[in-house]
Amino acid sequence: MTTATSLKPVRERASTRKPAQRSKHGSGRLRRTLVAWAFCSPFVLLFATFGIWPVFSSLSMSVTDITSRDVQTPFSVNFVGLENYTALFDDPTFVRAALNTLYFVAVGIPLTMVLSLAVAVALNSGIQRAKGFFRVAYFAPVVTSIVAVAVVWRYLYKPDGMINSVLSLVGISGPDWLNDPNWSMPALILMAVWRHFGIPMVIFLAGLQSIPPELHEAAVVDGASRWRAFRSVTLPLLRPTTLVVAILLSISYLQFFEEPFVMTSGGPLDSTTSISYYAYQQFGFGNYGVASAASYVLVTAIALLSLLQFRIFRARA
C-alpha cells in the first residue's frame, strides 16, 4: 500500500515533465530555425530581388503590350496573351535571326568541340615541351576583352587584310568578309570558335587525364592502333565530359550576341542578326513586350537543346 502511494506522485511528475521537455525542445528547434533563416535572409533577399523578380517581371512583360511609353503609366498596360510570340514568327527579321542563330550553333559547336578535343589530346600526349606555355596561349582568347579581339579580327578581315593577303599568295581572291552577306556569318563563326575553344579544351584535358593509362596499355597489347584505341577507349570514356562541353557550348552559342554587336551590328542585310541581338534591338526601340517574348523563345531553345543533348549522351553513357 505504501509502495503504490509512493509511485503515484512519481508517475504524475514524469507525466507533467514530458510535455515540458517537449515544449522546451520545440522552442529550441524553433530558435535554431529562426537563427538559420536570419543568417540566410541576406542571400534570400538578394536572390529574390535580382534573380527571381527580374525573371518573373520579364515573363509577365512578354504577355503584355508594354512599351517605353507605358513606364510612367504602368496600369495602362494590357494583357495580350501569346500575341507577342505569334507576332515574332510573323516578323521576317526575327525568322532570319532565328535561322542565323541556328546556323551559328549548328556549325560553330561541332567545330569548337573538334578543335578543343584535338588541342587537348595534343597537350595531353603529343606536346612534350612547354606544355604550360601552350595551355596559357590556347586559353588566352577566353580572358581577352571582346573589344580588343574585335579590333584584331576587323584588321584580319579587311579586304586588304592578312587573311586575304595569305589567300592571294595561292592565287585566291578573298572576299570582303564582313560586308558580304554570304561570308559575314562564316567570318563570325571562325572568330567565335577561336574565342570559345579554350574552356572546352581545359575540360577535355581534365577528362583525358582521368582515363586510367592501363586501358590504353591493354589496347596496345591487344594490337589496337592509336586511332583505334582513341576511338574505342578514349571517346567512350569521354562521353560525360562531352556532355558537359556540349551543354556549355550550346548555352554560349545560342546567346550569340557579342560577335555581331562589335563586328557587324547585325549586318549586312541582317545576315548576322541573332535572336539575342534582335531582342536587344527591340529593347532599344522600346518594345519591351516583344523583346521579352524573343528572350523567352531563346530560353526555350536553350532548354530544348540541353534536354536533347542529355538524352543523347546519357543514353549512350
Side-chain angles (χ1 to χ4, degrees):
M1 187 66 181
T2 305
T3 303
T5 53
S6 62
L7 289 176
K8 185 176 181 181
V10 174
R11 292 174 180 170
E12 291 179 351
R13 286 197 300 271
S15 62
T16 55
R17 191 179 300 160
K18 288 182 180 177
Q21 289 177 346
R22 283 198 295 268
S23 176
K24 186 178 179 180
H25 181 71
S27 62
R29 177 182 296 178
L30 177 61
R31 186 173 64 253
R32 289 194 297 272
T33 302
L34 292 176
V35 170
W37 276 108
F39 278 108
C40 294
S41 58
F43 166 76
V44 173
L45 183 62
L46 290 175
F47 180 70
T49 304
F50 298 105
I52 297 176
W53 175 248
V55 172
F56 175 77
S57 299
S58 59
L59 183 60
S60 60
M61 287 167 61
S62 70
V63 292
T64 64
D65 61 353
I66 184 171
T67 63
S68 57
R69 296 187 299 271
D70 301 318
V71 174
Q72 301 297 330
T73 56
F75 293 105
S76 63
V77 175
N78 299 313
F79 177 77
V80 297
L82 300 178
E83 186 176 317
N84 288 332
Y85 292 91
T86 56
L88 281 177
F89 290 97
D90 291 334
D91 185 354
T93 304
F94 178 79
V95 174
R96 180 68 185 273
L99 293 176
N100 288 340
T101 304
L102 181 62
Y103 177 20
F104 186 77
V105 169
V107 178
I109 290 180
L111 279 178
T112 307
M113 294 184 70
V114 170
L115 179 62
S116 57
L117 179 59
V119 175
V121 170
L123 289 173
N124 188 53
S125 58
I127 299 175
Q128 300 300 329
R129 294 182 179 178
K131 284 187 176 181
F133 169 77
F134 283 108
R135 288 174 184 174
V136 173
Y138 289 133
F139 194 77
V142 178
V143 296
T144 305
S145 167
I146 181 64
V147 178
V149 170
V151 171
V152 174
W153 281 86
R154 274 181 173 277
Y155 172 74
L156 295 176
Y157 282 141
K158 279 185 175 181
D160 57 348
M162 184 180 293
I163 294 178
N164 283 352
S165 298
V166 172
L167 292 176
S168 66
L169 295 177
V170 293
I172 299 176
S173 179
D176 187 357
W177 295 91
L178 297 179
N179 295 314
D180 187 333
N182 296 321
W183 287 102
S184 55
M185 181 61 81
L188 295 191
I189 290 175
L190 182 61
M191 173 184 165
V193 170
W194 178 81
R195 278 193 66 212
H196 290 95
F197 87 93
I199 292 178
M201 177 200 70
V202 172
I203 298 174
F204 275 129
L205 188 59
L208 289 171
Q209 292 177 350
S210 67
I211 298 176
E214 294 81 7
L215 297 178
H216 290 98
E217 293 171 1
V220 171
V221 171
D222 291 340
S225 62
R226 296 188 65 177
W227 168 247
R228 180 60 186 271
F230 177 77
R231 189 163 56 88
S232 301
V233 177
T234 305
L235 284 182
L237 293 176
L238 280 179
R239 277 179 187 143
T241 307
T242 306
L243 173 62
V244 174
V245 170
I247 291 176
L248 291 178
L249 287 178
S250 300
I251 295 172
S252 177
Y253 273 75
L254 279 170
Q255 296 175 343
F256 175 39
F257 175 76
E258 292 176 336
E259 287 80 4
F261 181 73
V262 299
M263 297 289 286
T264 61
S265 299
L269 302 176
D270 295 328
S271 60
T272 57
T273 299
S274 63
I275 296 179
S276 296
Y277 193 80
Y278 178 89
Y280 166 77
Q281 287 181 319
Q282 293 302 318
F283 271 115
F285 297 153
N287 300 323
Y288 299 153
V290 175
S292 299
S295 301
Y296 276 94
V297 170
L298 183 60
V299 170
T300 305
I302 292 174
L304 292 177
L305 184 57
S306 300
L307 180 63
L308 177 64
Q309 290 169 339
F310 262 107
R311 293 183 65 87
I312 292 175
F313 288 102
R314 289 189 65 180
R316 295 179 179 177

